[in-house]
Amino acid sequence: MQTFGFIGLGIMGSSMAKNLVKAGFGVTVWNRSAEKCRELEALGATVAATPRQVAEACQVTFAMLADPAAALAVFDGPDGVLAGISAGKGYVDMSTVDAATSGQIAAAVTARGGRFLEAPVSGSRKPAEDGTLIILAAGDRSLYDEALPGLERMGKKILHLGEVGNGARMKLVVNMVMGGMMTAFCEGLALGERAGLHQADILEVIDAGAMANPMFRLKGGQIGQGSFATAFPLKHMQKDMRLAVALGDEMQQPLFSAATANELFKRAREMGFGDEDFAAVFKAIRA
């Protein structure tokens, strides 16, 4: 049975790593907050002291980190992932970052004789728990093939999108659409509420027609209950919207609605909702 490293045990990473352990793979883990390793250790994972030790111990290492700054912080330095990369080692970064950050990491890995794959995911807490994420991989094909047994335990659909950068770009496009949908949905709920309509009736009408979708169905019920338990943190959605708008600038592609949605998520962060689910943008819109 293959062995894998896994770095980053937040809301998503902890569930993804658990699925690898439960599948019978040998898994070595590291997280900045060591206490988050304990549950994995109890399931049978090995805990490393540094990211470097994970990369040294494992032929293939996965990482799931919050943003570009976190991805680079874990990667660089004397105890970082790069220090543990040697010829043939594979590094699969599943974090949502911009293409430039992904390219920077890829170049450093290959300069040491290693292999790199970016593999950001589409999905939140429940799909991570269930192993039903959509994985948007790009980069070294041999590493993709070697990592595939692990990826298949974490996702229901795994794509190889070509060269490094395409996975990052695809993830930003997908999350930009999701963020825009959420802000329009919440504005509709807020407008209907102010106009005297019952929220349950709005949700029923939307769910009966062409706009019906799982996100509106799930988040609409939670919004109606005033429940914003975190499946995908609002601060991470705002980060993704910011990166998508920056990609639009780079491509000289106007993104009018995405830029506006980004401002709404920024307002929600300023109001203190950053650690709540991204559906909490509703509270900022209704305020």
Side-chain angles (χ1 to χ4, degrees):
M1 181 64 71
Q2 286 175 277
T3 61
F4 293 115
F6 204 103
I7 293 170
L9 301 175
I11 290 173
M12 301 289 288
S14 60
S15 295
M16 294 159 71
K18 285 176 193 174
N19 286 333
L20 294 177
V21 174
K22 291 174 182 177
F25 295 109
V27 181
T28 298
V29 300
W30 179 87
N31 190 74
R32 182 177 285 108
S33 300
E35 64 271 14
K36 291 187 177 180
C37 297
R38 302 308 166 214
E39 186 175 2
L40 270 297
E41 186 176 28
L43 291 173
T46 300
V47 179
T50 65
R52 175 177 181 166
Q53 286 186 8
V54 177
E56 287 175 338
C58 303
Q59 185 67 12
V60 176
T61 296
F62 297 104
M64 186 63 168
L65 301 158
D67 54 31
L72 290 171
V74 166
F75 183 72
D76 290 326
D79 289 323
V81 171
L82 183 60
I85 295 290
S86 56
K89 294 272 188 178
Y91 186 50
V92 184
D93 194 346
M94 306 185 78
S95 316
T96 298
V97 301
D98 56 285
T101 298
S102 195
Q104 179 182 342
I105 293 172
V109 169
T110 55
R112 291 181 65 95
R115 297 169 297 158
F116 179 77
L117 193 73
E118 61 178 357
V121 305
S122 180
S124 57
R125 182 196 293 267
K126 190 64 164 61
E129 292 173 348
D130 295 342
T132 57
L133 296 164
I134 299 169
I135 300 174
L136 310 171
D140 190 290
R141 185 72 198 212
S142 70
L143 177 54
Y144 173 84
D145 292 338
E146 187 174 341
L148 191 57
L151 295 173
E152 287 176 336
R153 295 295 179 172
M154 296 185 277
K156 66 177 181 180
K157 188 174 185 65
I158 301 99
L159 302 171
H160 189 281
L161 299 169
E163 65 183 18
V164 169
N166 286 346
R169 296 182 190 101
M170 181 68 79
K171 176 60 187 294
L172 294 180
V173 168
V174 169
N175 274 19
M176 182 190 78
V177 172
M178 182 167 65
M181 287 174 62
M182 179 56 74
T183 54
F185 180 56
C186 289
E187 285 186 341
L189 293 179
L191 175 62
E193 182 178 78
R194 187 155 299 190
L197 300 175
H198 293 293
Q199 196 173 93
D201 292 337
I202 299 171
L203 296 175
E204 184 176 1
V205 171
I206 289 175
D207 197 47
M211 291 185 293
N213 67 75
M215 185 178 76
F216 287 175
R217 194 172 302 123
L218 173 64
K219 300 300 183 183
Q222 293 173 347
I223 290 169
Q225 297 168 9
S227 173
F228 300 98
T230 309
F232 179 38
L234 186 146
K235 63 185 178 185
H236 291 171
M237 174 55 83
Q238 193 274 311
K239 175 263 297 182
D240 293 348
M241 296 298 293
R242 171 177 59 80
L243 293 176
V245 171
L247 180 60
D249 289 343
E250 181 185 343
M251 298 292 107
Q252 298 184 15
Q253 171 62 52
L255 298 173
F256 301 105
S257 61
T260 300
N262 182 44
E263 295 303 316
L264 287 169
F265 282 107
K266 282 167 63 177
R267 174 175 169 81
R269 288 190 72 171
E270 291 167 358
M271 295 174 71
F273 306 140
D275 289 324
E276 298 185 48
D277 190 74
F278 78 110
V281 72
F282 174 76
K283 295 193 285 186
I285 288 170
R286 187 178 59 177

